[in-house]
Amino acid sequence: MVTSRDVARLAGVSQMTVSRVLQDNGKVAPQTRERVLAAMREAGYRPHAAARTMRTRRTATVGVVVADITNPFYPQLLEAVAEALDAAGQRMVLWNGPDGSGALESLDEGTVDGLIFTTVTEATPQLGDAVARAEPIVLLHRGLDELDCDQVTTDNVAGGRAVADYLVATGHTRIGFLRGPELPSTARHREHGFRERLAELGHPLSEDLSAPGGFAHDVARSAMRDLLDRADPPTAVFCANDLTALGAVDGAVSLGRRVPEDVWVIGYDDIALTAWDSYDITTVRQPIAEMARAAVSRLLERIGDRDLPARRDCFPSELLVRGSTARTPHPAH
C-alpha cells in the first residue's frame, strides 16, 4: 500500500508538506502543491477518507447542483467541474433538482464541504440563510444580484450586444429572437444586451418577431416555424441558448427553409453539437473550462477561510462564426 511517506519521497518534500496538501493548507506554495499532487497520481496514492475526515474535519467532497441535466450544456460544464475538482484532490457529488434543498441539507450535516450551484434562478430562503452564515457556496454560470456570495459567470450582456452588432453590420434588418425563460440571469442578461444594442443601432427588436424559445428544443422548433410562416419572416434569428438554436434549425428545415440561405441562426453557449457538420451553428462561446477552474478554486479558498469577502468573476464571451450565418465575418473583423 502506498503511504504518504512514499509520496513525500517521490515529490522530494517532507511528510508534513504532504499532510498540508491533503488538508488544503494555504501555507504550501502552488508549485510545491502541484508537485505533491503529481506524485500522488503517479504513485496511485489514495488517502484514507475516514481518517482524513477525522483529522481535518473535512470530507474532500463538494456538492454540485444542476436542475436540467438534459440540456447538453450542463454535462459539458459538469465534466469541466469534475476535472477541476479531481485535479484538486476533491470528489464530486451531484444533485439534480430545482432548488438544491437536499444539497444544502448535506452541507449543514457536514457530508460535503461546500456547494457549487450551476442553475440557480432565485434566492430561496434556505439558500439565502446559508449565504448569510457564510457557508462555502459558489454560484457558477448563473448568478443572483441579490445574493452577496462568490459567483462565476460570463458577460452575457456583452454577448447579446455582440450578436446585435454582427447582424446589423452584415445587413439584417428583419431580426428575430427566440428568448429564454424569465428567471435565469443568463436569459435576462442576453436579452437585455441584444435589445439594448439593436435599439442603439437604430433597429429596435420588433415584438412580432420575438417569441419564447424556452431553452428547449421542441418549444424553439415550434416558435421558429411560427416566425417563418409570417408574410414577412425574419432573415436572421438569435436564440438565447444553443439548445434553442438546434430547435430553430430543425424548425426551419421542417418547412423546407435552408440555413443560412433563407434564414440565419445564431445560438449561445458553444455546446459540442453546434460544431457538428449537420448543424455548424454560429454561437457565442462561454469559456467553460476556465469558469469551472475559477469556481472550484474560489470554493476551496472559501472552505479554508469563510471570512473572505465575496467575489464575482465575470469572464468574457466570444462570437464564433460558422455555417449557419454563411461563415460571413463581422465587417469590423
Side-chain angles (χ1 to χ4, degrees):
M1 180 180 295
V2 179
T3 68
S4 60
R5 288 188 177 86
D6 299 323
V7 173
R9 281 196 298 271
L10 185 60
V13 299
S14 67
Q15 189 177 5
M16 178 61 73
T17 298
V18 174
S19 297
R20 286 174 175 168
V21 171
L22 289 171
Q23 296 171 31
D24 295 319
N25 190 305
K27 295 181 180 179
V28 181
Q31 302 91 331
T32 303
R33 180 185 301 275
E34 183 54 41
R35 194 162 74 247
V36 172
L37 292 174
M40 289 179 184
R41 291 192 292 268
E42 181 180 343
Y45 175 70
R46 292 291 183 270
H48 191 279
R52 179 171 59 186
T53 299
M54 291 178 62
R55 183 176 64 252
T56 66
R57 295 186 179 180
R58 296 181 189 170
T59 65
T61 302
V62 168
V64 181
V65 182
V66 62
D68 185 12
I69 199 69
T70 61
N71 182 339
F73 171 79
Y74 289 104
Q76 288 184 215
L77 181 62
L78 293 174
E79 181 180 22
V81 171
E83 289 178 357
L85 286 170
D86 184 64
Q90 305 290 305
R91 295 186 298 270
M92 182 175 83
V93 175
L94 181 65
W95 273 271
N96 184 22
D99 62 3
S101 57
L104 287 165
E105 290 172 4
S106 291
L107 184 60
D108 288 341
E109 294 166 357
T111 53
V112 296
D113 298 329
L115 296 175
I116 296 175
F117 282 80
T118 66
T119 52
V120 66
T121 57
E122 59 182 338
T124 63
Q126 194 175 3
L127 177 58
D129 289 344
V131 169
R133 296 193 307 270
E135 295 283 4
I137 291 173
V138 173
L139 306 187
L140 172 61
H141 175 53
R142 293 180 183 173
L144 289 174
D145 293 337
E146 62 269 32
L147 278 189
D148 186 27
C149 66
D150 298 312
Q151 305 187 30
V152 179
T153 60
T154 50
D155 193 340
N156 288 285
V157 172
R161 290 176 66 86
V163 173
D165 276 333
Y166 175 60
L167 291 178
V168 172
T170 49
H172 292 273
T173 57
R174 289 285 292 174
I175 298 172
F177 180 50
L178 295 185
R179 57 187 185 271
E182 293 183 2
L183 287 179
S185 63
T186 47
R188 288 186 285 106
H189 293 168
R190 291 166 194 175
E191 180 171 357
H192 174 72
F194 184 59
R195 285 181 177 273
E196 179 182 65
R197 186 56 177 156
L198 283 179
E200 291 172 359
L201 294 171
H203 297 281
L205 181 65
S206 176
E207 291 307 318
D208 71 322
L209 295 182
S210 174
F215 282 177
H217 179 279
D218 57 341
V219 176
R221 182 181 186 277
S222 177
M224 186 67 160
R225 287 175 60 92
D226 289 342
L227 287 180
L228 296 181
D229 265 340
R230 310 244 172 122
D232 190 8
T235 60
V237 176
F238 173 41
C239 304
N241 78 348
D242 282 340
L243 192 57
T244 306
L246 294 170
V249 170
D250 286 344
V253 170
S254 72
L255 292 175
R257 309 295 174 82
R258 299 167 299 165
V259 178
E261 291 85 356
D262 299 320
V263 61
W264 284 17
V265 175
I266 298 179
Y268 204 111
D269 285 335
D270 188 32
I271 64 173
L273 281 169
T274 60
W276 289 11
D277 290 343
S278 55
Y279 286 105
D280 200 25
I281 295 175
T282 293
T283 187
V284 180
R285 175 184 179 268
Q286 295 197 74
I288 293 175
E290 295 92 327
M291 292 167 63
R293 287 193 292 266
V296 168
S297 175
R298 187 57 177 172
L299 183 65
L300 296 181
E301 290 175 0
R302 174 70 58 188
I303 291 170
D305 183 359
R306 298 193 180 195
D307 293 329
L308 291 172
R311 188 175 72 204
R312 298 193 181 199
D313 296 330
C314 187
F315 284 78
S317 54
E318 177 188 6
L319 180 67
L320 302 178
V321 176
R322 296 190 179 122
S324 69
T325 58
R327 296 195 175 275
T328 303
H330 192 297
H333 296 170

